[in-house]
């Protein structure tokens, strides 16, 4: 990709100029992706990238997202340019032309970018002159209506990946989340593992590392699994000396994770709540399996090819594609998939998921190493 504000790299290396340059690889299709938030949604939308590359092998892909979501796209070889939402992105939309715009948020701010884009073809969502969001193509209508009507959301049985691929005109094509860890990030995780006493080398095969990420941030408080249930699970799993347990969380889980750590004691390795997104991703890379609520941690684990036990109450379990590597535990409540931010029911839907259920799912998914000297 040409960087217009600095000398050409082949020219710097070999002194070549544009005429007859062997490195010249012209762009055939310019594609814009607009997916701003939330973090987990941005990450799972990367499922469209392999299919875009297959269908448009000489495409240049530009992705506009929120600044906090940029790290989720970094080091992804399938994205040519990442633009944080802000003045630079708006300047690009005001000048550049695209062959195809994929605008995948129904939020007015996001859909407005779809309308602003100078694209020959548009799929997804835009905003009209009266401020009303509308679908650009008929394939986007179903998702648009599900966002408005809870009964349609609850009745849906298709995964998000399947739906978004169809919106983009890529139905039936490959749809794995794409997420890469760099060598430097692997080394960061290895250093953490060494400090935590996690075995390495041949000894690593004698333990299974299980991540616990059952918070949900501040926006969707009802998605988190109660602290007491989490502690019960940790105590059950910690009885097996072949298992090591890693606690994950973000800045919104500092107090919650402190309480869990205090109750669980030495059975738990705390990865901390102050990691950057890239550090969080690299530490998830240590795990063999992740137990997670419907959160960024779940999507990161799936993107890294990990086995996952997902816990669902107020949000749709049907939309989550486990890629054959996971188990879904859905709260036994007639009000599940309500998408409420607050609820006065006791017990709550997430409280109805027991530690015994989750423990059984973990053991089904993760055959443990042979018994022996697991701890070092």
């Amino acid at each position: 990709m040409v960087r217009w504000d600095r000398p050409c790299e082949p020219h710097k290396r070999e002194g070549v100029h544009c005429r007859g340059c062997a490195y010249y690889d012209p762009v055939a299709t310019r594609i814009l992706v607009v997916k701003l938030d939330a973090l987990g949604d941005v990450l799972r939308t990367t499922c469209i990238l392999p299919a875009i590359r297959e269908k448009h092998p000489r495409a240049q892909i530009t992705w506009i997202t929120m600044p906090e979501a940029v790290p989720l796209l970094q080091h992804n070889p399938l994205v040519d340019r990442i633009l944080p939402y802000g003045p630079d992105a708006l300047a690009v939309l005001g000048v550049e032309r695209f062959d195809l715009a994929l605008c995948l948020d129904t939020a007015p701010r996001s859909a407005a970018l779809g309308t602003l884009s100078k694209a020959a073809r548009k799929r997804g969502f835009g905003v009209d002159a009266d401020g009303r969001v509308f679908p650009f193509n008929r394939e986007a209508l179903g998702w648009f209506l599900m966002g408005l009507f809870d009964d349609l959301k609850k009745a849906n049985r298709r995964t998000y990946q399947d739906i978004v691929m169809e919106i983009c005109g890529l139905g039936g094509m490959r749809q794995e989340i794409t997420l890469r860890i760099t060598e430097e990030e692997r080394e960061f995780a290895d250093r953490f593992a060494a400090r935590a006493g996690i075995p390495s080398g041949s000894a690593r095969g004698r333990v299974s590392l299980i991540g616990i990420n059952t918070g949900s941030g501040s926006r969707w408080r009802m998605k988190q699994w109660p602290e007491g249930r989490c502690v019960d699970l940790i105590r059950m799993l910690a009885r097996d000396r072949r298992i090591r347990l890693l606690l994950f969380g973000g800045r919104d889980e500092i107090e919650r994770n402190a309480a869990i750590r205090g109750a669980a004691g030495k059975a738990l390795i705390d990865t901390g709540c102050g990691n950057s997104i890239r550090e969080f991703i690299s530490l998830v890379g240590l795990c063999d399996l992740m137990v997670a609520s419907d959160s960024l941690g779940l999507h990161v684990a799936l993107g890294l090819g990990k086995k996952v036990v997902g816990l669902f109450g107020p949000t749709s379990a049907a939309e989550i594609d486990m890629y054959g590597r996971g188990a879904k535990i859905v709260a036994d409540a007639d009000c599940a998939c309500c998408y409420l931010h607050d609820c006065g029911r006791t017990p709550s839907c997430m409280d109805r998921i027991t530690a015994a259920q989750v423990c059984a799912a973990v053991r089904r998914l993760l055959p443990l190493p042979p018994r022996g000297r697991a701890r070092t």
Side-chain angles (χ1 to χ4, degrees):
M1 183 174 176
V2 176
R3 294 178 295 179
W4 300 102
D5 59 343
R6 66 198 71 180
C8 165
E9 288 187 8
H11 172 75
K12 294 289 284 186
R13 290 195 313 267
E14 303 174 26
V16 298
H17 285 260
C18 295
R19 186 181 295 276
C21 176
Y23 299 99
Y24 179 55
D25 184 19
V27 171
T29 309
R30 304 185 73 245
I31 296 175
L32 172 69
V33 178
V34 177
K35 181 62 181 174
L36 299 187
D37 45 22
L39 294 179
D41 286 348
V42 171
L43 182 56
R44 65 178 176 171
T45 303
T46 60
C47 70
I48 69 177
L49 295 172
I52 292 176
R53 287 295 181 195
E54 182 179 341
K55 190 171 182 179
H56 306 281
R58 293 174 62 191
Q60 180 195 70
I61 300 175
T62 297
W63 191 312
I64 299 177
T65 193
M66 294 301 290
E68 56 268 27
V70 167
L72 297 170
L73 303 174
Q74 287 174 337
H75 312 301
N76 192 322
L78 302 180
V79 181
D80 297 294
R81 180 172 57 166
I82 306 166
L83 294 178
Y85 176 76
D88 289 348
L90 294 173
V92 166
L93 290 183
V95 176
E96 295 188 18
R97 296 186 180 275
F98 296 89
D99 298 291
L100 173 64
L102 303 172
C103 309
L104 303 174
D105 280 326
T106 56
R109 174 178 59 186
S110 304
L113 300 183
T115 299
L116 285 173
S117 65
K118 300 177 185 296
R121 292 180 294 132
K122 300 181 181 184
R123 304 182 73 92
F125 308 97
V127 172
D128 67 17
D130 295 318
R132 295 174 296 196
V133 175
F134 67 94
F136 284 128
N137 54 306
R138 61 178 179 80
E139 293 88 351
L141 179 60
W143 185 247
F144 176 72
L145 294 175
M146 272 189 268
L148 297 176
F149 304 112
D150 287 344
D151 56 342
L152 298 181
K153 189 81 163 176
K154 190 169 185 175
N156 173 57
R157 292 296 175 265
R158 298 176 65 192
T159 66
Y160 172 85
Q161 283 88 332
D162 186 36
I163 293 169
V164 79
M165 294 286 282
E166 183 178 70
I167 291 172
C168 294
L170 305 168
M173 299 180 74
R174 181 185 174 196
Q175 50 188 31
E176 283 267 358
I177 294 170
T178 59
L179 182 61
R180 302 289 185 272
I181 297 178
T182 67
E183 188 58 36
E184 292 79 6
E185 289 167 343
R186 293 185 195 280
E187 292 172 358
F188 166 83
D190 289 342
R191 290 192 298 272
F192 173 86
R195 292 194 302 271
I198 296 172
S200 60
S202 59
R204 174 65 179 85
R206 297 200 295 269
V207 299
S208 292
L209 298 183
I210 298 176
I212 308 292
N213 188 84
T214 57
S216 60
S218 58
R219 181 183 177 189
W220 286 101
R221 185 180 60 84
M222 297 307 300
K223 291 196 296 186
Q224 66 185 18
W225 201 32
E227 294 170 15
R229 296 291 195 196
C230 191
V231 172
D232 289 343
L233 174 67
I234 292 166
R235 289 173 175 166
M236 287 180 182
L237 293 173
R239 294 170 188 160
D240 195 316
R241 293 175 60 82
R242 297 167 294 174
I243 288 175
R244 294 290 180 87
L245 299 166
L246 278 67
L247 181 64
F248 289 86
R251 289 171 175 80
D252 291 325
E253 280 85 47
I254 292 174
E255 292 184 8
R256 167 189 165 84
N257 281 13
I260 292 171
R261 186 175 64 248
K266 295 181 180 180
L268 199 57
I269 298 170
D270 189 0
T271 64
C273 293
N275 296 303
S276 69
I277 286 180
R278 296 303 307 185
E279 290 169 342
F280 177 85
I281 291 169
S282 64
L283 292 172
V284 172
L286 292 171
C287 298
D288 299 300
L289 180 147
M290 177 68 81
V291 176
S293 57
D294 185 3
S295 61
L296 176 63
L298 180 145
H299 300 295
V300 167
L302 289 171
L304 294 177
K306 306 298 179 180
K307 295 180 180 180
V308 176
V309 176
L311 314 182
F312 300 91
T315 56
S316 172
E319 287 179 13
I320 304 300
D321 193 336
M322 290 291 196
Y323 301 110
R325 299 189 291 270
K328 301 176 187 179
I329 301 181
V330 183
D332 179 20
D334 58 7
C335 56
C337 197
C338 63
Y339 280 85
L340 292 176
H341 291 271
D342 292 292
C343 173
R345 291 198 178 192
T346 303
S348 69
C349 58
M350 293 298 285
D351 199 19
R352 295 169 72 101
I353 297 175
T354 68
Q357 287 178 284
V358 180
C359 186
V362 169
R363 294 191 178 278
R364 286 195 303 270
L365 279 176
L366 192 65
L368 291 170
R371 289 192 178 275
R373 294 180 60 193
R375 297 192 184 274
T376 61

